Amino acid sequence: MKREKSEQLFIEAEKYIPGGVNSPVRAFKSVEMAPVFIDHGKGAKIYDVDGNEYTDYICSWGPLILGHASPVYFDGIQEALQKGTSFGAPTAIEVEVAKLITEAYPSMELVRMVSSGTEATMSALRVARGFTGRNKIIKFEGCYHGHADGLLVKSGSGTLTFGVPTSSGVTPGTAQDTLVATYNDLDSVKALFNENPGEIAAVIVEPVAGNMGVVPPDLDFMKGLREITKAAGTVLIFDEVITGFRLAYGGAQEVLEITPDMTTLGKIIGGGMPVGAYGGRRDIMETVAPLGGVYQAGTLSGNPIAMKMGLNTLTYLRDHPEVYQEMEEKAKLLEAGFKANIEKTGVKAQMVRFKGMTCCFFTDVPIDGYAAVMTADTKAYTKYFKSMLDAGNLMPPAQFEGIFLSAAHTKADIEKTIADHYQALKELVK
Ligand SMILES: *Cc1c(COP(=O)(O)O)cnc(C)c1O
């Protein structure tokens, strides 16, 4: 497969943009090649500037649950554009979106719209601190919550891939208020609470970890988090930026039947536009300005075009609950196919699935948390990635990222990918 135009564009891009990209994992650095520059997408397919077609398993890293360029996203967008793209004043559609979100997530009694997942988590933590009057927070190693300073401590996703678990440029003062526990290990959380009595404002967690590959939660661990935080007067924040409207319409909290105090959303709720949201219990959210003393604002927050795309997406998902069943069926098909290939070829790999979220790790260690994830063979992943790409499958360009499916992926797409996966694994053992 030729990718000359992509390679040319990357050389040009590197002259003007750090690393040639506007977000690190896009650089394909960990898979040791120039990134694929995209021309357009349609449904489950994505097309690069050289005219190559791929089945897309990134789906913009989560937002595109209905696939690329679905007409659902665009319903009424022309009319909305004609009316104007930003007003800096409230509009009716913001109320509609807030109503839809609070109906889907009863734990979010009040919700504030922002422009990214990063802004959502950053703001939620400020609110939790303002509400409790405490400084410290607990996060989990390998969980990613966007790139706010205090959250770039032992975070996942690109930071794992690039080996900078804690970013430079984060001051020791900021980092010291971020305590780090081990995902799926309740004792590690209890120890931090014992060492810092009355000081912990919030525990923030991905209820299904999706930024160190996919690591399903241990249910007792999640229930334990709820109990410990409740007893300590600590705000439990579910970062559902990936899982919200993906695992189920009501997110991980619906699936796990655990009610957090606050929730952060992003990705899917913007229908492909830059949107995030945070919300939670009324008494907590009433500390946000203009009601209370926690300041948080945004010039483009609740932007009418982004809200329209989001509303279209969420309304469709609400009215088509079968999307979730079908996505889980497709994930099961992928899981079974990949598992069979692993067995047939004898490659050391693990296929993980939780509902519609899946990930193929190149390790023989069962995936139950961060330590297991870190045993993965990233060199094997690199080879695998390239074989898959040349066969027409755009997998995430790093081992520590999950596979994203959409409503647009067909059984036939997945069956072809399974066949390509078999060939890619065979190449590995050659
Ligand atoms: C993507 C992500 C974020 C950050 O969202 P951005 O829109 O990239 O700022 C936060 N938390 C989780 C769990 C994410 O997956």
Side-chain angles (χ1 to χ4, degrees):
M1 212 178 249
K2 285 210 169 117
R3 279 182 285 269
E4 282 160 10
K5 284 187 186 163
S6 278
E7 283 158 18
Q8 278 302 318
L9 269 172
F10 189 50
I11 290 167
E12 192 69 2
E14 283 184 299
K15 291 183 194 163
Y16 312 110
I17 305 171
V21 289
N22 283 315
S23 196
V25 183
R26 291 182 201 168
F28 281 28
K29 198 171 171 182
S30 78
V31 289
E32 299 166 1
M33 59 179 286
V36 173
F37 277 67
I38 302 306
D39 181 70
H40 69 284
K42 189 69 201 158
K45 303 292 178 185
I46 197 165
Y47 300 84
D48 70 16
V49 288
D50 289 282
N52 299 311
E53 179 190 275
Y54 310 93
T55 304
D56 184 16
Y57 291 97
I58 304 178
C59 293
S60 187
W61 302 96
L64 301 182
I65 192 162
L66 303 178
H68 291 276
S70 164
V72 172
Y73 304 131
F74 304 133
D75 185 37
I77 286 297
Q78 285 299 339
E79 293 86 333
L81 283 166
Q82 307 280 312
K83 287 185 179 183
T85 56
S86 182
F87 307 111
T91 54
I93 193 160
E94 293 166 74
V95 187
E96 275 188 78
V97 170
K99 184 164 181 274
L100 210 66
I101 290 177
T102 53
E103 280 168 0
Y105 293 76
S107 70
M108 299 173 84
E109 292 176 308
L110 293 174
V111 60
R112 178 58 73 77
M113 304 308 300
V114 293
S115 300
S116 70
T118 293
E119 246 188 289
T121 55
M122 180 184 82
S123 308
L125 285 176
R126 186 181 307 137
V127 171
R129 285 177 164 135
F131 177 74
T132 58
R134 303 173 185 176
N135 292 338
K136 292 185 177 164
I137 61 145
I138 293 178
K139 75 174 289 291
F140 295 90
E141 191 164 26
C143 281
Y144 178 70
H145 305 291
H147 64 89
D149 281 359
L151 288 165
L152 275 184
V153 178
K154 305 219 167 170
S155 46
S157 192
T159 64
L160 286 187
T161 300
F162 297 115
V164 280
T166 303
S167 171
S168 59
V170 172
T171 65
T174 300
Q176 105 192 352
D177 283 332
T178 303
L179 309 174
V180 181
T182 306
Y183 194 77
N184 277 341
D185 176 0
L186 203 56
D187 287 339
S188 73
V189 181
K190 285 182 186 158
L192 290 176
F193 270 91
N194 289 337
E195 288 159 24
N196 302 275
E199 288 190 85
I200 298 169
V203 171
I204 185 165
V205 66
E206 287 181 73
V208 176
N211 282 291
M212 47 175 153
V214 173
V215 180
D218 177 86
L219 194 55
D220 287 335
F221 165 73
M222 295 304 301
K223 282 186 185 154
L225 281 188
R226 180 62 285 184
E227 283 162 20
I228 293 172
T229 48
K230 195 166 201 166
T234 295
V235 177
L236 178 62
I237 305 172
F238 271 11
D239 182 354
E240 298 228 42
V241 171
I242 286 182
T243 53
F245 296 99
R246 172 166 291 279
L247 276 190
Y249 187 68
Q253 51 198 276
E254 178 186 291
V255 174
L256 302 174
E257 297 179 353
I258 295 173
T259 306
D261 303 306
M262 294 186 80
T263 300
T264 54
L265 297 169
K267 300 200 166 114
I268 287 173
I269 64 167
M273 292 291 274
V275 178
Y278 69 96
R281 251 169 46 204
R282 184 172 296 276
D283 58 333
I284 298 175
M285 288 301 288
E286 280 177 349
T287 63
V288 179
L291 292 179
V294 178
Y295 195 71
Q296 185 275 312
T299 302
L300 292 172
S301 293
N303 173 270
I305 307 303
M307 290 297 97
K308 182 66 180 154
M309 300 263 298
L311 185 67
N312 288 345
T313 308
L314 300 189
T315 307
Y316 183 88
L317 292 171
R318 183 194 62 193
D319 298 342
H320 296 82
E322 71 277 9
V323 164
Y324 293 101
Q325 260 153 0
E326 287 165 10
M327 223 159 43
E328 186 166 357
E329 288 310 313
K330 288 180 250 184
K332 278 184 181 164
L333 182 67
L334 196 71
E335 178 190 34
F338 278 23
K339 271 191 168 156
N341 292 343
I342 291 166
E343 254 170 56
K344 271 189 272 178
T345 56
V347 169
K348 285 183 185 169
Q350 302 279 324
M351 191 60 193
V352 172
R353 183 184 66 80
F354 191 86
K355 305 285 280 183
M357 290 168 68
T358 63
C359 185
C360 184
F361 289 97
F362 286 89
T363 175
D364 52 1
V365 179
I367 297 297
D368 56 0
Y370 179 77
V373 164
M374 292 319 286
T375 64
D377 179 352
T378 54
K379 288 240 158 34
Y381 190 89
T382 298
K383 275 195 200 158
Y384 157 78
F385 172 83
K386 285 179 180 161
S387 308
M388 292 300 276
L389 191 70
D390 283 335
N393 304 275
L394 183 59
M395 309 310 287
Q399 167 71 90
F400 306 117
E401 308 288 352
I403 291 169
F404 288 100
L405 291 171
S406 78
H409 286 75
T410 63
K411 234 181 116 184
D413 291 331
I414 290 170
E415 277 161 359
K416 177 185 178 293
T417 297
I418 292 170
D420 295 339
H421 178 264
Y422 177 67
Q423 292 302 329
L425 294 195
K426 266 202 350 201
E427 288 286 310
L428 276 182
V429 289
K430 228 174 37 191

